[in-house]
Every structure is written in structure tokens, then in C-alpha cells.
Amino acid sequence: MDYVYEPQKKVPVFEEADVIVVGGGPAGIGAALAAARNGAKTIVIEKFGALGGMQTQAMSSTFSLLDPAIQGGVITDIIDRLGAEGGILRDRSPRTRTAAFTSTNFDCEVYKFMLDDMMAEAGVKLLYHTTGVGAVREENALKGIFIECIQGRFVILGKVIIDSTGNADIAWKSGVPCMDDGHGRGPKKGRHMGLGCRFYISGVDVEKFQKFKKENPDDWTGLYGGRSLVTKAKAEGKYYGYRESLIVNTSKPGVAMIEGFNSPLAEGHHGWMIEDVTAGEIDLRKQVFSAYRLLKNNVPGFENSSVEKTGTIPILRDTHRILGEYVLAEKDIYEGRTFDDSVVISNMGPDIYGPDEEHVYEVVRPHDIPYRCLVAKDTDNLLAAGATLSADFYAFAADRYGAPSMCTGQAAGTAAALAARLNVTTRKLDVKLLQDTLRKNGAPVTVKDLPADILETYEQRYQKNRKITDL
Ligand SMILES: Cc1cc2nc3c(=O)[nH]c(=O)nc-3n(C[C@H](O)[C@H](O)[C@H](O)COP(=O)(O)OP(=O)(O)OC[C@H]3O[C@@H](n4cnc5c(N)ncnc54)[C@H](O)[C@@H]3O)c2cc1C
């Protein structure tokens, strides 16, 4: 039997809102705070029990390449608040304009706790442990979403829906055109990035480990290391992992955060096929324990350690994105292209894991993200944000990151609030008004506004670091 039919049923309306944000990752956080601060009745639907998305569920508690000239508004408030709450663990943002890659790490438990407060202060209603399962559609316009939670199945009606699910869950499950194209050229054409993860080890004698690193500088630089250990163990069949080194971040007392795992996806396989996700989880857990045992048995400082925490979800790097009115292209981000309808600047370059064992990060010029990349093509009242952005594989591999996601979220939330207030569709919204509102709220909107000296520093960085493979 290939199919069965579900019986039709009457679904009760749970709530009505101006703006429904589905997914509470960095994009959803930016969207919800911006929408509510611009006067919209805003509700967030999140399938787990906290905000943060991958930043908390997969523990990617990092904003890379933070620069106040590039990102502002909600993200500035969040970083300031994290600082005030003692939640910033390691701040590398002052080097962003010159270094190829910098990261600012934060404590994801402080982040979760703090975000609940920030949402309450802004008047955002949160529904945790609730999954958006599809949209209420009337011809080419969305009118709300269906949700499922422990209480049952309901409808939430809204004027604008922001799909910030990280994988265009609402759009894709509602038949709105989406992209899932994979690599755009070369022998890997059509193939997708692998699944990844981070994990924490506690009981680490960080001082002892740092001393060991200093004594072995050829093997350990910055966060990257264990090269000869990993290579030898791999050759002897005693290590299961894809990288030739490990990323070991010890910015939290007694704890090491380990990163650098990839579970490649075979041709024709995707991070949204559930059997692949399950196989990826199992494979990643095997890599995690192999790395942990390697460190515990060989590296001073790890003798009395134990695995503290692995993520609730693996990193699903590359799933569905919404097809928008414009598809941001690889060329746009390398050239640092500007657009008249730009609403966000990004300084992030493509960070590509896989499909096989390689990791490539490429530096690009600061570039604009136009409003049309947030606006679903031919569908009214649906906006993309974060990893659901309308972009080709390479532009997506860049602008899916934490900071650009929060900023596209902020742009989507602001647009949604304006559209709801003015009673216009998201496709008809006056972009000049949106840009002015974003600027008023502290968000830079286009590379055209960047001072010449900042652009020049970024240009030098681009010329120096154009291509970096395996950081
Ligand atoms: C291990 C790891 C390392 C990383 N390293 C970095 C780094 O160093 N620097 C950096 O800037 N970025 C990094 N990233 C990337 C960054 O975390 C993501 O790109 C970013 O979180 C994407 O944001 P988002 O809000 O679009 O999606 P997500 O963070 O994926 O959030 C989506 C949210 O939607 C929820 N959701 C999904 N479907 C539904 C549904 N149907 N109903 C309700 N809720 C739903 C999910 O539970 C989730 O909370 C890393 C990611 C990982 C996992």
C-alpha cells in the first residue's frame, strides 16, 4: 500500500497574531524582537524548550565575524546583554576586519535564560515544545499555520509568517517553492554538505592542557591541534573521524568544547531525509567518543574528564531554503555587490563541510542581502530569515551563519511588523520605509553606507586570504 488518506477535521484556532515567527534560532530571535519592538503582536513557535536553535540545541554557541559596522540593532543588544550577564566566554570580534576568521563564544545556558527575559520584556509570546506543521493557505497568500503540541493540533492565524525554521519547514511542507540544490559546480555538483556536531567535555584541567599546548607548538596552534596524535591514531585504526586535527576550545573553566566533525552524505542523500539524519547522529556519536577517548588517553589535562554534553540535534547544514524574489548568488558575495533594496550587510564567506571529508572556508567582500531574498516568490505574507534565505549554495553556505541569520531575522521581523501595521502584503511593502526603520533601530543596511577606511581594510583582508582550506 503506497498511501492512506487522513480524515479531514475541524481545527480550533489557538491564537491570532500580527506576526508568527516559526523557529527560535538566531533568525527567529532577531525576527521576534524586531517585530515586537516595532509594535506587532508577535508569537514564536519553537519545537524545543528554549530559544537559540543550533546555537543552543547543537551548542554552536558562537557568533563569527562580529563587527559593529556590519551588524547592529538586535544583535548589539544581545551581545551587550550577554556581556552584562557574564555570558561572553571569548571575544575575538576586535580582529574581525583583519583576520580571515574570528569567533565570539558565549555560554549557551546564560543565552537561553537571558533570551526568555528579553522576549518577555519585548512582549513576545513564546510557545515551546510546539511544532509548526504547515501553513494555512488561501490561493497565493498565507493566513496562518497549523501547530502540534502536547495539547493537540491547532491553528494560529497571523498577518505575516516568518519561516525561520532553519530548513524552510513551513514553506516546504506547504508546497511553497523551495531550493535544495547542493553544490552548484564541479564534480560535487548536486551533492550536499555533511552533518556535524560539537560536544563538551567536563573535568578538564585547563591549565595543564594549556601548558602542554605551549610545550608542543608544532602540534597545537590556537584552537586547532593534536595533528600528529590524530594522524598516528588514524593510521593505526585507533581513531574514527574525518579531520587531521581537532578544535579544542577551553574558554569555559574546567570544560573543553570539541568541534570539527562531519558525517558525509553520499550522492543523492540530504540532511532532510530522516534515515540520513538518523545515520548521521549515530556516526557523529561514534566520532565524538573516538575523539574524547583519544584526548583522555593521550593529552595532559584530560585524564579525569568525561563527556558532559552532546547536542539535541546534529547540525543539518544544508536542507531546504525558500525560493525568493531574488536568489543571492556566489558572484554577488565575492564581488561585494550592492543592491538598492538591501536590508542587511554580511561579511561571512562560504564555510563548506563536505560532501566528503573536506572543509573549505573562503573569505569574501562585505556584501548586501536584498529584501527580495527574504520575500517568498509568488507567495504573499511569507518571509524567509536565516538559513531559509533565498540564496544559491555558496551564498547560503556563507549567510546561514549566526550573525547574518540574526540580521536577516531582524529585517524580516521589521518588514513583517510594518506590513501588518500598514495592511499591505510583504511583496508590496515600501522597501525605503523598511530601510529607514532598520537604520533608526541601529541596523546597517548596505555596504554603500560603509566608510571608505573600513571597506579598504576588508579589501586587504580579502586579497590576503581569498581561499583557506581546512582552517
Ligand atoms: C556545531 C555548529 C557549529 C557552528 N559554528 C558556527 C560558528 O562558529 N559561527 C557562526 O556564526 N555560526 C556557526 N554555526 C551556524 C549557526 O549556528 C547556524 O547557521 C544558525 O544557527 C542558523 O540560524 P537559524 O535561526 O536560521 O536556524 P537554526 O539555528 O537552525 O534555528 C531554527 C529553529 O527552528 C526550530 N524549528 C525547526 N523546525 C520547526 C518547526 N517546524 N516548528 C517549530 N520550530 C521549528 C528549531 O528547533 C530551531 O530552534 C554552527 C552551527 C553548528 C551546529
Side-chain angles (χ1 to χ4, degrees):
M1 186 165 45
D2 288 335
Y3 295 98
V4 292
Y5 286 94
E6 268 188 78
Q8 276 201 331
K9 66 177 184 184
K10 204 159 78 178
V11 183
V13 174
F14 191 91
E15 179 103 32
E16 291 192 33
D18 294 325
V19 178
I20 307 172
V21 177
V22 193
I29 295 163
L33 287 175
R37 287 173 179 184
N38 281 289
K41 183 181 176 198
T42 306
I43 186 162
V44 176
I45 308 303
E46 168 52 51
K47 77 174 166 189
F48 291 109
L51 295 175
M54 296 253 196
Q55 294 180 316
T56 52
Q57 302 305 332
M59 300 177 316
S60 77
S61 45
T62 304
F63 281 108
S64 294
L65 296 171
L66 283 182
D67 179 351
I70 303 285
Q71 308 106 1
V74 167
I75 197 163
T76 308
D77 296 347
I78 288 198
I79 298 294
D80 288 351
R81 185 88 168 237
L82 269 168
E85 302 264 3
I88 299 280
L89 299 175
R90 186 171 187 273
D91 184 9
R92 290 302 177 94
S93 54
R95 288 174 50 227
T96 295
R97 286 177 206 155
T98 50
F101 197 86
T102 63
S103 284
T104 299
N105 293 104
F106 54 87
D107 185 313
C108 60
E109 296 304 325
V110 174
Y111 190 58
K112 285 191 221 172
F113 164 76
M114 175 196 106
L115 287 168
D116 287 342
D117 278 350
M118 288 182 82
M119 293 294 159
E121 287 160 18
V124 173
K125 176 161 183 169
L126 296 171
L127 285 186
Y128 285 145
H129 299 296
T130 304
T131 303
V133 291
V136 180
R137 282 186 81 159
E138 271 179 30
E139 295 174 356
N140 70 340
L142 299 199
K143 301 282 179 187
I145 63 159
F146 293 99
I147 58 164
E148 281 182 0
C149 58
I150 193 165
Q151 213 173 316
R153 183 177 169 95
F154 299 93
V155 166
I156 298 185
L157 296 174
K159 293 179 181 162
V160 181
I161 288 94
I162 299 175
D163 186 338
S164 48
T165 56
N167 46 24
D169 231 23
I170 295 300
W172 189 61
K173 288 176 180 161
S174 312
V176 172
C178 288
M179 288 175 286
D180 59 13
D181 45 352
H183 274 261
R185 56 179 150 78
K188 300 180 199 308
K189 193 168 171 146
R191 291 186 60 194
H192 294 264
M193 283 192 261
L195 276 60
C197 72
R198 275 181 183 176
F199 75 102
Y200 291 168
I201 298 178
S202 62
V204 179
D205 185 336
V206 171
E207 252 177 50
K208 195 169 172 186
F209 171 57
Q210 293 297 353
K211 185 168 170 283
F212 169 74
K213 274 176 68 175
K214 269 201 192 118
E215 289 163 2
N216 295 275
D218 292 345
D219 230 20
W220 297 85
T221 22
L223 299 180
Y224 301 85
R227 281 174 280 267
S228 56
L229 180 66
V230 170
T231 319
K232 185 166 171 284
K234 258 184 153 178
E236 292 170 355
K238 291 181 183 157
Y239 177 68
Y240 181 72
Y242 86 106
R243 249 181 133 117
E244 298 307 320
S245 67
L246 289 169
I247 301 175
V248 182
N249 182 335
T250 50
S251 45
K252 197 170 176 178
V255 175
M257 184 186 76
I258 318 292
E259 198 181 351
F261 303 99
N262 186 34
S263 186
L265 283 165
E267 193 153 3
H269 288 243
H270 305 257
W272 49 266
M273 289 163 82
I274 198 61
E275 285 163 335
D276 291 342
V277 176
T278 306
E281 278 279 15
I282 293 167
D283 187 55
L284 288 166
R285 211 150 21 238
K286 197 169 157 188
Q287 295 184 38
V288 160
F289 271 82
S290 185
Y292 161 63
R293 287 182 179 139
L294 191 74
L295 290 165
K296 183 176 166 78
N297 295 332
N298 297 281
V299 177
F302 285 83
E303 298 88 342
N304 299 314
S305 65
S306 55
V307 175
E308 169 82 9
K309 200 168 163 193
T310 56
T312 318
I313 48 171
I315 318 168
L316 305 175
R317 291 192 176 98
D318 164 20
T319 54
H320 297 110
R321 316 184 285 285
I322 295 175
L323 177 65
E325 300 269 325
Y326 180 76
V327 178
L328 193 67
E330 176 186 8
K331 201 163 173 271
D332 298 333
I333 68 170
Y334 284 94
E335 284 180 359
R337 191 167 167 197
T338 59
F339 293 88
D340 288 344
D341 66 336
S342 178
V343 285
V344 170
I345 312 176
S346 172
N347 51 358
M348 188 64 203
D351 193 20
I352 303 172
Y353 288 78
D356 299 314
E357 302 203 325
E358 74 282 5
H359 172 210
V360 177
Y361 171 69
E362 296 191 10
V363 171
V364 300
R365 296 181 164 106
H367 52 273
D368 280 357
I369 301 181
Y371 178 56
R372 282 165 296 152
C373 292
L374 310 186
V375 178
K377 192 169 169 56
D378 302 331
T379 305
D380 280 328
N381 304 332
L382 172 65
L383 293 174
T388 64
L389 191 75
S390 175
D392 73 11
F393 177 82
Y394 303 95
F396 159 76
D399 292 336
R400 71 190 167 98
Y401 258 57
S405 288
M406 194 165 276
C407 295
T408 51
Q410 169 171 254
T414 309
L418 291 172
R421 189 193 313 154
L422 300 171
N423 216 10
V424 293
T425 65
T426 45
R427 288 195 292 161
K428 295 261 167 67
L429 182 69
D430 173 357
V431 179
K432 171 89 175 47
L433 174 68
L434 171 59
Q435 292 167 324
D436 289 346
T437 310
L438 285 165
R439 282 194 183 100
K440 203 175 79 200
N441 293 326
V445 299
T446 170
V447 169
K448 287 183 224 167
D449 291 345
L450 289 179
D453 59 325
I454 290 182
L455 275 177
E456 177 51 29
T457 314
Y458 269 113
E459 186 59 23
Q460 286 169 12
R461 169 180 174 267
Y462 173 67
Q463 296 301 339
K464 190 171 150 215
N465 303 292
R466 289 168 78 140
K467 181 158 186 173
I468 301 160
T469 302
D470 205 8
L471 276 170

